[in-house]
Amino acid sequence: MSTAYQLVWFRQDLRIRDHAALWHATQAGPTIALVILSPEQGQLHDDAPIKIDFYLRQLQSLKDQLASLNIPLLVHSISLWKDIPEYFATLIQQLPIQHVYANVELGVNELKRDQAVQKLLNQQDKELVLFHDRTLFPVGSIRNQSNLPYQVFGAFKKTCYQRLQPALPQCYPIPAPQQALTDLKLISSTDSKSLQLEYQKHIQHPHDHEWQVGEAYALQQLDQFIEEQLSDYKIARDFPARAGTSQLSAYLNIGIISIRQCLQALFRAQQGHFDIQSDAQQSWLDELLWREFYQHILFDFPRVSRHLPFKQSTQNIPWRDDPVALQQWQQGQTGIPIVDAGMRQMLATGWMHNRVRMICAMFLSKNLLIDWRKGEQWFMQHLIDGDLAANNGGWQWCASTGTDSAPYFRIFNPVSQSQKFDPEGEYILKWLPELAQLDKKTIHEPYAKKHSLALDYPHPIVDLKLSRARAIEVFKAHLS
Ligand SMILES: Cc1cc2nc3c(=O)[nH]c(=O)nc-3n(C[C@H](O)[C@H](O)[C@H](O)COP(=O)(O)OP(=O)(O)OC[C@H]3O[C@@H](n4cnc5c(N)ncnc54)[C@H](O)[C@@H]3O)c2cc1C
């Protein structure tokens, strides 16, 4: 009888360490791996070119790592997810596959895709065996006393703390190398170099010099952050000119590292016990739990992935249609330096500091009163760490339409934020070199004292005080 293989279907989890599906597949028997690339689906989801480029480069790294375990990787391109079940139907005719293993993905389309594959496999007495690997706790498992999902971060977090108390989630080991699968003939496999060419039209500006791939690199970054930067994190995290945060979001997002690895590293000095020793440690833990919270929200309230506000009372807000202002915001030409610096940082590097993401998002949704969904889409189209759950959660928080949001009348003043969190104007200067001649007081608001200042930089496109008052009026009048 010929060997039956286990198939691991990698998606947003391109690593071999601490990988639930890979571990379980390899324990069940000889394993082969699969990645399906879906360029058109990626476009529908607004995946940024820099994110696709990052994914493809990591895919090459994953292939090498799997080769060291004698696990062959099959890479297949299927434009749209709706055609994936048909591909599996053919694949299981051509290869003796026993079961398919994968880690759960949470978006509505992802869940629908997996249900269709499950149905197809079940008809052939096979299964799509799914594992909760992207979150610390299975989605649907963090519930309040009425067995309902939490809608407020504070209460969600408290329950997570209780769940972590007895023991932190453990990491899976790297599977032992299997015997080479000499009698296996893969039906077709595209190498990731040629896929990169196929994707070339989507990737106009590869940034590989800035975002190195590889699990070893990501783990080294994690260790370095915990050992050298964590102690200062609580304060430093808010200052965009400082490298005060881990910059691991892109790595977490496509699964080059896992959330369990982050948690284990955070409590390494406590020998893996959930024993919070400092404000800094708690502060980073809480950010990891914000990530967790938004993923659970995405699962429990699927309307957020259908472009609907979480708070239904905000659905009648009459957002302004102002394509000119939208474009000025997108290109970092609003005349508000901290906003423009953030928007230009994202265009140049694919990443923006969290404090500045909040300032830019509030400026668009409140001062410009432009629909937050337009900002959400622009971020997704440009972020290397673009993630539906976190991006939607962040945008809805800033626009006061989301879970546990900023109340609509609490609107950041971008100039005060800039003075507080970039007091020397270093961050602004890095991204707006045209303001080099200004001192650290003037740089936050170049024309405040001298309207006629000769600068190659726009005047503010909106009056901050008046636009703040307008947003409050509009919200007050249209909340149902
Ligand atoms: C409008 C807006 C849009 C955002 N879009 C995204 C996005 O598309 N993808 C994304 O990963 N994050 C998003 N965030 C959250 C946050 O800005 C980034 O996760 C963070 O800047 C990443 O930097 P870091 O890895 O250095 O974070 P650190 O401060 O080191 O935090 C560690 C990890 O915790 C998670 N995290 C931190 N803050 C948040 C948060 N507020 N919400 C959810 N998770 C968080 C991230 O995975 C991050 O890597 C958004 C925030 C806002 C306000």
Side-chain angles (χ1 to χ4, degrees):
M1 214 178 98
S2 71
T3 318
Y5 299 105
Q6 313 302 325
L7 181 73
V8 189
W9 179 12
F10 285 85
R11 290 99 75 94
Q12 299 295 311
D13 45 8
L14 301 187
R15 65 177 184 279
I16 60 165
R17 292 170 180 80
D18 189 31
H19 191 292
L22 175 66
W23 172 258
H24 286 283
T26 52
Q27 300 317 294
T31 297
I32 53 184
L34 169 72
V35 167
I36 299 175
L37 296 164
S38 304
E40 279 185 46
Q41 193 77 35
Q43 274 185 319
L44 291 177
H45 291 187
D46 289 314
D47 281 344
I50 191 170
K51 185 172 130 185
I52 298 172
D53 175 60
F54 188 60
Y55 189 95
L56 290 174
R57 287 187 291 118
Q58 174 60 18
L59 182 54
Q60 186 59 47
S61 168
L62 175 72
K63 189 174 181 181
D64 296 342
Q65 282 186 298
L66 287 169
S68 71
L69 304 178
N70 290 323
I71 298 177
L73 172 67
L74 190 61
V75 180
H76 200 78
S77 183
I78 301 175
S79 276
L80 289 167
W81 287 349
K82 70 175 178 45
D83 299 321
I84 288 182
E86 197 185 314
Y87 168 69
F88 273 100
T90 313
L91 191 66
I92 57 179
Q93 295 299 317
Q94 294 171 326
L95 283 177
I97 289 164
Q98 189 180 22
H99 294 303
V100 180
Y101 294 73
N103 293 323
V104 170
E105 291 199 304
L106 296 171
V108 170
N109 293 334
E110 286 80 350
L111 291 166
K112 215 192 276 174
R113 173 199 62 197
D114 288 355
Q115 275 164 8
V117 172
Q118 183 68 275
K119 193 170 158 200
L120 180 278
L121 292 175
N122 289 167
Q123 285 161 0
Q124 304 290 326
D125 285 334
K126 300 177 194 305
E127 275 209 45
L128 173 61
V129 190
L130 289 167
F131 299 88
H132 288 277
D133 186 83
R134 196 169 174 79
T135 48
L136 286 168
F137 308 106
V139 286
S141 75
I142 304 286
R143 291 290 183 253
N144 65 18
Q145 285 181 341
S146 313
N147 201 26
L148 293 170
Y150 288 104
Q151 303 189 26
V152 173
F153 175 69
F156 174 87
K157 174 180 108 167
K158 212 167 142 197
T159 301
C160 290
Y161 276 28
Q162 284 161 6
R163 293 272 296 266
L164 291 170
Q165 199 71 53
L168 295 183
Q170 294 299 305
C171 294
Y172 291 91
I174 305 181
Q178 63 186 16
Q179 291 216 329
L181 307 181
T182 43
D183 55 348
L184 173 72
K185 279 196 189 63
L186 287 182
I187 39 170
S188 74
S189 181
T190 323
D191 72 88
S192 39
K193 280 265 166 353
S194 52
L195 282 163
Q196 221 144 350
L197 288 177
E198 190 183 322
Y199 271 83
Q200 210 66 48
K201 52 183 184 288
H202 305 291
I203 308 168
Q204 273 133 26
H205 306 288
H207 297 247
D208 45 356
H209 54 288
E210 277 162 18
W211 296 96
Q212 199 173 321
V213 293
E215 274 182 72
Y217 175 77
L219 288 171
Q220 181 197 324
Q221 294 302 104
L222 171 62
D223 286 348
Q224 197 175 321
F225 171 74
I226 297 292
E227 279 156 33
E228 295 169 19
Q229 289 165 276
L230 179 68
S231 58
D232 207 18
Y233 177 75
K234 191 167 193 283
I235 307 288
R237 65 183 291 264
D238 271 321
F239 292 84
R242 294 172 66 175
T245 67
S246 69
Q247 299 217 4
L248 286 170
S249 48
Y251 297 87
L252 273 163
N253 189 39
I254 63 163
I256 302 179
I257 51 168
S258 77
I259 187 67
R260 290 180 295 267
Q261 288 171 322
C262 290
L263 206 67
Q264 287 288 346
L266 182 59
F267 288 100
R268 192 180 295 143
Q270 288 76 47
Q271 286 74 45
H273 295 295
F274 184 69
D275 177 13
I276 300 172
Q277 294 279 339
S278 68
D279 287 352
Q281 200 177 19
Q282 171 157 8
S283 184
W284 205 59
L285 171 67
D286 289 353
E287 293 313 311
L288 298 178
L289 292 178
W290 271 107
R291 174 185 177 276
E292 183 85 8
F293 179 56
Y294 285 139
Q295 304 218 31
H296 285 244
I297 291 289
L298 184 64
F299 177 77
D300 284 317
F301 302 92
R303 65 173 176 272
V304 301
S305 63
R306 295 203 188 97
H307 310 293
L308 293 171
F310 177 84
K311 264 192 205 144
Q312 283 152 326
S313 61
T314 62
Q315 66 194 5
N316 295 327
I317 301 290
W319 304 104
R320 288 174 60 248
D321 183 27
D322 188 342
V324 174
L326 176 63
Q327 205 198 11
Q328 287 163 324
W329 175 82
Q330 288 172 338
Q331 299 305 325
Q333 295 288 348
T334 67
I336 309 291
I338 190 77
V339 172
D340 294 340
M343 298 306 290
R344 292 194 209 174
Q345 180 183 27
M346 182 172 71
L347 292 180
T349 67
W351 189 83
M352 195 197 299
H353 188 276
N354 180 60
R355 168 67 45 188
V356 191
R357 288 188 206 207
M358 291 195 287
I359 297 170
C360 291
M362 263 207 198
F363 179 77
L364 184 83
S365 57
K366 299 291 175 51
N367 296 96
L368 296 179
L369 206 64
I370 289 177
D371 196 331
W372 56 272
R373 282 160 283 219
K374 295 194 174 141
E376 181 196 15
Q377 183 182 37
W378 185 255
F379 269 32
M380 207 61 194
Q381 288 169 341
H382 293 87
L383 284 173
I384 192 166
D385 65 13
D387 168 66
L388 173 60
N391 193 37
N392 183 278
W395 269 95
Q396 296 224 45
W397 188 91
C398 294
S400 306
T401 62
T403 52
D404 206 11
S405 300
Y408 72 85
F409 48 82
R410 201 175 296 153
I411 299 176
F412 286 177
N413 178 320
V415 173
S416 326
Q417 289 280 312
S418 179
Q419 288 159 340
K420 186 167 175 195
F421 296 114
D422 188 27
E424 305 296 316
E426 292 163 90
Y427 176 75
I428 292 178
L429 200 53
K430 173 153 193 204
W431 300 107
L432 308 184
E434 65 266 44
L435 301 186
Q437 68 188 79
L438 303 182
D439 62 37
K440 66 178 190 184
K441 273 198 174 147
T442 321
I443 201 165
H444 305 283
E445 212 178 359
Y447 302 105
K449 293 254 157 63
K450 200 168 170 200
H451 191 76
S452 59
L453 199 64
L455 277 178
D456 182 19
Y457 182 69
H459 282 258
I461 61 170
V462 74
D463 179 282
L464 292 178
K465 264 196 192 150
L466 294 178
S467 58
R468 177 182 185 278
R470 173 180 65 185
I472 292 174
E473 275 309 302
V474 167
F475 265 80
K476 210 190 287 176
H478 291 90
L479 285 180
S480 52

